[in-house]
Amino acid sequence: MANSRIRLQPLATFLNPNREVYVGWDEGLQTYYAQVFDGQDEQGEDRLTVDVGNGLGDVTYPGGVITALRPYAEITDDLGELLNVSRVSTTPTYTDLRPDSRRYQQEQYAQSGLNRLYRPDGFVTTLTRDDVAPVLGEHGWASSGIKATETGHTETYRRGDQELTLAWTWPDQDYDTERMLSPIHLDGQRHGVDKREELSSLLAEGSPDPQVLTPGSEERVDELLTGIFTDDEAQNHDRRFDAGPDESWFDDPPSDDEGFHSGLGT
């Protein structure tokens, strides 16, 4: 286990513009802690309005520090879970939940990019209805059912004893047409598909290739993920962080040139 530190969004900042609120796990003292700083006094010393968990084993459950901070900070729904996870982490962690921080904005930007690509039923492909319908007809697949899902619908097709299930996402703010999701389900097996040629090859075979994800699918995922983190908009984000004196013991975030990989291949 290791130390953790979570920076929270203060309440009533117009009354306390210099307020800083932190919560986390102190490995040395084996306690959760909560601190509220309200600037400095005339001698340059920190004004510590709240200081909970400064003794050995003082607070051993997240609710103890969360309750202490409710009058001073916004408490997110997942704060208790974050504290539990940080307690068992083997490396020091720092999480910034203030919307005005660069770290928070960068994390939200990255998550937004991932949300464009992933849905609960799979990965958003380039294939539209116009791409898929001719392939199904060409290889003798007939529709046998449709079912609504959280973010779209699934369609079932049959060809003799074979069964095929395709998941689709509805048009939304990211895509102006329906997009097929990958993987598809063919006779109980999952297959990664992103190109029309891959779909046609797979559906033309009497017995499907048992490979779950193709190299082509993996390459496509990597290209899209790389596109998110090298987008022109991302380049406008300042990747540097201004670490305060009590944040210097945390590792720097990974640099852009370390690259991203889907990890879907073998």
Side-chain angles (χ1 to χ4, degrees), residues 7-19:
R7 185 186 187 214
L8 302 181
Q9 174 64 36
L11 296 174
T13 53
F14 62 95
L15 294 176
N16 301 281
N18 296 319
R19 174 164 289 175

Side-chain angles (χ1 to χ4, degrees), residues 103 239-241 243 247-255 258:
R103 182 187 291 265
R239 295 293 181 177
R240 296 168 298 173
F241 299 100
E247 299 172 18
S248 59
W249 47 274
F250 295 103
D251 294 334
D252 291 332
S255 61
E258 291 179 11

Side-chain angles (χ1 to χ4, degrees), residues 75 127 193 218-219 233 260:
I75 306 299
L127 297 173
V193 175
E218 181 191 358
E219 181 180 353
E233 181 180 349
F260 294 86

Side-chain angles (χ1 to χ4, degrees), residues 50-68:
V50 173
D51 187 17
V52 174
N54 56 16
L56 184 63
D58 276 354
V59 185
T60 57
Y61 64 102
V65 289
I66 290 176
T67 298

Side-chain angles (χ1 to χ4, degrees), residues 141 156-166 184-191 202-203 205-210:
W141 291 90
T156 304
Y157 295 84
R158 300 197 68 87
R159 182 179 64 182
D161 295 333
Q162 290 187 284
E163 182 176 273
L164 169 69
T165 302
L166 305 179
I184 66 173
H185 295 255
L186 178 57
D187 293 337
Q189 294 183 340
R190 303 191 326 146
H191 300 268
L202 182 64
L203 299 187
E205 299 175 359
S207 58
D209 182 348

Side-chain angles (χ1 to χ4, degrees), residues 72-212:
Y72 302 95
E74 294 181 8
I75 306 299
T76 60
D77 293 339
D78 62 346
L79 182 56
E81 180 181 356
L82 284 174
L83 286 167
N84 276 326
V85 170
S86 70
R87 177 178 182 173
V88 299
S89 175
T90 57
T91 58
T93 58
Y94 176 68
T95 304
D96 197 333
L97 298 182
R98 288 191 61 155
D100 59 350
S101 74
R102 288 192 296 273
R103 182 187 291 265
Y104 179 87
Q105 293 168 3
Q106 289 160 4
E107 290 174 350
Q108 294 302 302
Y109 176 79
Q111 187 60 51
S112 175
L114 292 175
N115 289 342
R116 293 200 307 269
L117 296 178
Y118 291 97
R119 299 294 186 273
D121 295 308
F123 171 78
V124 181
T125 72
T126 61
L127 297 173
T128 67
R129 178 72 59 180
D130 290 341
D131 298 316
V132 174
V135 174
L136 295 173
E138 176 184 354
H139 298 298
W141 291 90
S143 176
S144 62
I146 185 171
K147 182 175 68 174
T149 63
E150 180 180 347
T151 58
H153 62 285
T154 60
E155 298 173 356
T156 304
Y157 295 84
R158 300 197 68 87
R159 182 179 64 182
D161 295 333
Q162 290 187 284
E163 182 176 273
L164 169 69
T165 302
L166 305 179
W168 295 81
T169 182
W170 296 121
D172 55 22
Q173 69 272 16
D174 296 320
Y175 305 102
D176 57 3
T177 60
E178 290 178 294
R179 294 289 186 91
M180 195 188 82
L181 302 179
S182 179
I184 66 173
H185 295 255
L186 178 57
D187 293 337
Q189 294 183 340
R190 303 191 326 146
H191 300 268
V193 175
D194 186 51
K195 295 182 173 61
R196 178 170 174 168
E197 295 77 14
E198 295 173 345
L199 180 65
S200 180
S201 175
L202 182 64
L203 299 187
E205 299 175 359
S207 58
D209 182 348
Q211 184 176 6
V212 174

